[in-house]
Amino acid sequence: MTEPVLAVEGLTKHFPVERGILRRAVAWVRAVDGVDFAIAPGETLCLVGESGCGKSTVARMVLRLTEPTSGAIRLGGTDITTLSEAEMAPFRRRVQMVFQDPYASLNPRLRVGQIVGEPLENFETFSAAERTARVGAILAKVGLRPEAAGRYPFEFSGGQRQRIGIARALALRPELIVADEPVSALDVSVQAQVLNLLMDLQEEFGLAFLFVSHDLAVVEHIGHRIAVMYLGHIVEIGPKDEVLSNPQHPYTQALIAAAPIPDPRAKRERMVIEGDVPSPLNPPSGCRFHTRCPFAFARCSEEKPALREIAPGRRAACHLLDQPG
Ligand code: SF4
């Protein structure tokens, strides 16, 4: 089997709730609670789930923007979880991020050429002419003209700004791009253009993506595999088409029913998911979905279901799937 670009094992993040002058931890928010997955070269794994499920925290931990509480993050087989900032430097160029908000993520005081060229300068030295040529080539890859280098972010539309963000991420020729809701701030008419750009770049450069989204239509467009998260756990993971057309976990079924995807092959039954996501400060016992699951039975509140293989390449965590027939 090909070495994964990224593998995370038992990844956990508990945030302290601090009180008093000494800021003692009086409780812990269990934002991510033991997550495992791997991404192959050239593959897109989509992390999906409702707001607060922990998907963005996972994305930030992969980049070490948020430090994990426990678990391992392996890039190309090397455990980077506890590397110092200096030791991380060679790995930083291998993983880049595209952010949700193309307005907030670009420095408004810098010209586009500086924004895109800055990561290059951190790792390489070259002449001004070489720099201009490199930046121009990257801008061309994302569909922008070389003249864009001399302009400021405010002079561009939302979709163009996200192209600039992608160009910046692309500058160092990473193996993996972590994209956190990269099209959710864009008009629907522009979303498909940006998704298609990402897919074209993936094909050209063999890029892998960890793609965080709450929007199943977006995931349907760009994903190869889907990992569904609920309250800090992955509850189902598998190939996109199989998960979307034949979801096995009740939460995945509810998510899909709530956000129908225009796919005539998919047979979906209406299933309403009641209530809000419980607080990760005090998550439900056993299966964390049991307070909202229409199929919950006694065992569900007592015993946490394991994320186990239900078919080749597919795993789900539900006691119903343990029952014969
Ligand atoms: Fe529902 Fe129980 Fe399955 Fe959890 S384990 S999803 S509560 S049936």
Side-chain angles (χ1 to χ4, degrees):
M1 188 187 145
T2 325
E3 172 108 59
V5 174
L6 170 72
V8 305
E9 294 158 16
L11 198 61
T12 298
K13 181 65 189 180
H14 296 169
F15 292 101
V17 179
E18 295 169 336
R19 291 255 167 80
I21 301 168
L22 297 177
R23 307 198 63 77
R24 278 215 191 91
V26 293
W28 295 88
V29 175
R30 303 162 78 92
V32 177
D33 223 0
V35 161
D36 300 85
F37 61 79
I39 305 179
E43 182 186 46
T44 300
L45 175 71
C46 295
L47 273 186
V48 304
E50 291 164 286
S51 173
C53 70
K55 55 192 190 303
S56 291
T57 306
V58 170
R60 291 182 62 83
M61 283 195 282
V62 165
L63 286 131
R64 298 270 315 273
L65 299 175
T66 295
E67 291 299 331
T69 303
S70 62
I73 303 161
R74 295 183 206 287
L75 281 183
T78 303
D79 187 350
I80 62 155
T81 322
T82 56
L83 296 185
S84 67
E85 200 43 52
E87 291 169 326
M88 271 297 291
F91 294 96
R92 289 254 175 249
R93 68 179 303 168
R94 290 164 62 174
V95 188
Q96 294 291 307
M97 185 144 191
V98 174
F99 294 91
Q100 174 177 6
D101 187 345
Y103 292 87
S105 61
L106 304 176
N107 187 334
R109 288 187 290 275
L110 297 183
R111 292 179 197 273
V112 168
Q114 292 169 286
I115 291 170
V116 174
E118 191 180 50
L120 287 169
E121 282 164 4
N122 291 338
F123 287 92
E124 297 172 33
T125 43
F126 33 62
S127 68
E130 282 170 335
R131 185 183 186 285
T132 303
R134 290 276 292 272
V135 168
I138 297 163
L139 290 175
K141 288 288 177 206
V142 300
L144 294 172
R145 299 168 69 85
E147 304 86 84
R151 294 162 62 191
Y152 289 95
F154 75 85
E155 298 177 63
F156 295 87
S157 68
Q160 288 171 326
R161 285 186 193 210
Q162 198 54 299
R163 287 174 188 268
I164 296 165
I166 293 166
R168 181 180 163 88
L170 207 61
L172 293 170
R173 292 282 175 94
E175 297 161 29
L176 172 71
I177 288 185
V178 177
D180 188 359
E181 302 272 12
V183 297
S184 62
L186 305 178
D187 290 346
V188 173
S189 58
V190 180
Q191 286 187 359
Q193 295 168 17
V194 173
L195 292 175
N196 289 338
L197 170 66
L198 290 171
M199 292 164 79
D200 290 346
L201 295 171
Q202 177 171 55
E203 199 172 312
E204 182 170 353
F205 298 112
L207 282 169
F209 288 114
L210 175 60
F211 195 99
V212 173
S213 180
H214 70 284
D215 186 337
L216 289 181
V218 166
V219 167
E220 207 270 341
H221 192 107
I222 198 167
H224 295 128
R225 283 190 305 135
I226 297 179
V228 181
M229 285 192 71
Y230 186 77
L231 264 185
H233 289 159
I234 290 179
V235 296
E236 181 161 3
I237 184 166
K240 170 191 74 181
D241 290 341
E242 293 178 32
V243 173
L244 292 182
S245 64
N246 184 22
Q248 292 295 299
H249 193 282
Y251 178 62
T252 317
Q253 292 166 1
L255 268 189
I256 292 170
I261 297 164
D263 179 355
R265 293 166 301 166
K267 293 189 195 117
R268 279 165 208 157
E269 290 177 14
R270 189 87 189 115
M271 179 173 155
V272 178
I273 183 168
E274 305 264 333
D276 295 328
V277 182
S279 167
L281 194 56
N282 187 18
S285 59
C287 172
R288 289 188 175 178
F289 189 50
H290 85 259
T291 53
R292 302 169 80 194
C293 179
F295 308 114
F297 54 106
R299 185 180 167 199
C300 302
S301 59
E302 294 160 5
E303 190 186 326
K304 180 186 162 191
L307 183 65
R308 63 180 191 82
E309 187 165 74
I310 52 169
R314 288 195 73 179
R315 289 183 290 155
C318 174
H319 294 311
L320 284 177
L321 300 168
D322 293 346
Q323 321 235 323

